[in-house]
Amino acid sequence: MQIQIIKCLQDNYSYLIIDESTLNACVVDPSESKPIIDFVENNNINLKYILNTHHHFDHVGGNKELKKRYNSNVIGFKGDKDRIPEIDILVDDQNIWREGNFEAKIYHIPGHTSGHIAFHFFKEKKIFTGDTLFALGCGRIFEGTYEQMFNSLKKIKTLPKDTEIYCGHEYTLQNSNFCAIYDPNNLQLKTKIIEIKKKIDSKLPTVPTILDDEIRCNIFLKAKDLQTFSKLRDLKDNF
Ligand code: ZN
Ligand code: FE
């Protein structure tokens, strides 16, 4: 299974998960169709599935056009069936979604939106976290409560430490500045920030990140209780 990172809009990431044996692929959160179509056509990919982490426009904007063009199936959270465009297959918390060689466990991780989910490709140890967990950050709480977001992050924290995290946006540099202020003595964070800056300077994505690094460096995953987490989330909203 190969992952192709595709930049979309301003700072979004869509991902193609490609089964090299068949060239069948899933796209995660196609913000827009054009960059996806370009890659698919240039590489003879069969775009079979569209996986949506949540209903926001910058994650589903390409659904309609891609489905029309490739007859792909759209997979999303059952509770969001009325707001994910062109949805075909409804999934729920803890379901295993399986098609061909693709196999992912669904986690319902509300907070950013009430119907946010993550797709965990557990055999490959990769998770697509949308706008819930970012590299060195977490999503804004729009529809849920602080407690929901805190618990959603906790669920992700229990996955194997070497899990690769693919998130919805390139927000890492800005997130790292925030972490550095509130966790000034974290040497691992300092090292990580140097690596992040190198990547940004070379115009390379800072994703994927590794769960173990996030647990040690992401201030939102380090928050020891709900109160600390909520305070940090408020501070970040005004950062
Ligand atoms: Zn969003
Ligand atoms: Fe987003």
Side-chain angles (χ1 to χ4, degrees):
M1 219 65 85
Q2 184 208 320
I3 309 294
Q4 179 66 36
I5 302 175
I6 301 186
K7 287 185 168 209
C8 291
L9 304 176
Q10 280 301 100
D11 50 31
N12 276 83
Y13 285 130
S14 296
Y15 301 101
L16 277 174
I17 306 165
I18 305 162
D19 175 356
E20 297 112 315
S21 65
T22 57
L23 290 185
N24 288 348
C26 315
V27 64
V28 179
D29 285 354
S31 318
E32 51 180 339
S33 57
K34 171 92 171 62
I36 316 291
I37 291 170
D38 288 347
F39 189 89
V40 163
E41 315 254 306
N42 286 328
N43 295 278
N44 298 314
I45 304 285
N46 317 305
L47 189 65
K48 295 276 195 185
Y49 307 102
I50 299 169
L51 314 181
N52 292 133
T53 63
H54 64 297
H55 73 286
H56 283 160
F57 182 76
D58 61 311
H59 298 258
V60 302
N63 280 18
K64 195 168 181 212
E65 180 69 28
L66 292 171
K67 181 172 170 174
K68 201 169 90 188
R69 206 173 173 112
Y70 302 113
N71 203 19
S72 322
N73 276 319
V74 177
I75 292 96
F77 184 58
K78 72 163 199 219
D80 277 346
K81 66 175 169 39
D82 296 324
R83 54 183 192 175
I84 290 182
E86 308 288 332
I87 194 165
D88 298 295
I89 297 167
L90 309 180
V91 292
D92 201 355
D93 189 36
Q94 305 290 320
N95 284 173
I96 307 273
W97 173 75
R98 207 182 266 119
E99 283 293 345
N101 292 324
F102 302 117
E103 197 171 7
K105 187 167 180 180
I106 312 300
Y107 289 94
H108 181 217
I109 46 170
H112 178 69
T113 66
S114 58
H116 200 301
I117 56 173
F119 293 87
H120 182 213
F121 286 73
F122 47 90
K123 285 182 298 183
E124 291 85 10
K125 294 189 173 177
K126 298 177 197 303
I127 187 166
F128 296 84
T129 58
D131 288 356
T132 298
L133 176 61
F134 293 124
L136 297 183
C138 76
R140 279 177 189 261
I141 297 166
F142 285 126
E143 295 179 349
T145 62
Y146 292 98
E147 191 171 12
Q148 282 179 326
M149 187 55 126
F150 185 64
N151 289 332
S152 293
L153 294 174
K154 237 176 158 167
K155 276 193 206 172
I156 300 172
K157 260 163 85 169
T158 63
L159 299 176
K161 299 273 184 288
D162 55 348
T163 303
E164 285 179 340
I165 295 163
Y166 292 82
C167 57
H169 291 266
E170 180 58 70
Y171 289 160
T172 314
L173 187 61
Q174 173 80 338
N175 288 342
S176 76
N177 293 333
F178 183 79
C179 288
I181 291 172
Y182 293 98
D183 194 7
N185 301 319
N186 186 336
L187 290 178
Q188 191 176 339
L189 174 63
K190 287 195 168 99
T191 311
K192 201 169 161 69
I193 291 176
I194 294 169
E195 289 163 16
I196 288 164
K197 287 189 169 148
K198 270 190 206 155
K199 285 184 182 161
I200 301 268
D201 287 343
S202 318
K203 306 229 182 299
L204 292 170
T206 62
V207 290
T209 172
I210 305 291
L211 181 58
D212 191 45
D213 279 13
E214 293 302 314
I215 289 173
R216 291 162 190 267
C217 298
N218 184 325
I219 194 97
F220 295 100
L221 291 189
K222 290 182 79 180
K224 60 185 188 307
D225 51 37
L226 177 59
Q227 200 192 349
T228 313
F229 171 77
S230 305
K231 188 154 185 228
L232 286 164
R233 192 52 264 177
D234 282 344
L235 287 165
K236 182 69 171 40
D237 283 346
N238 300 302
F239 182 64

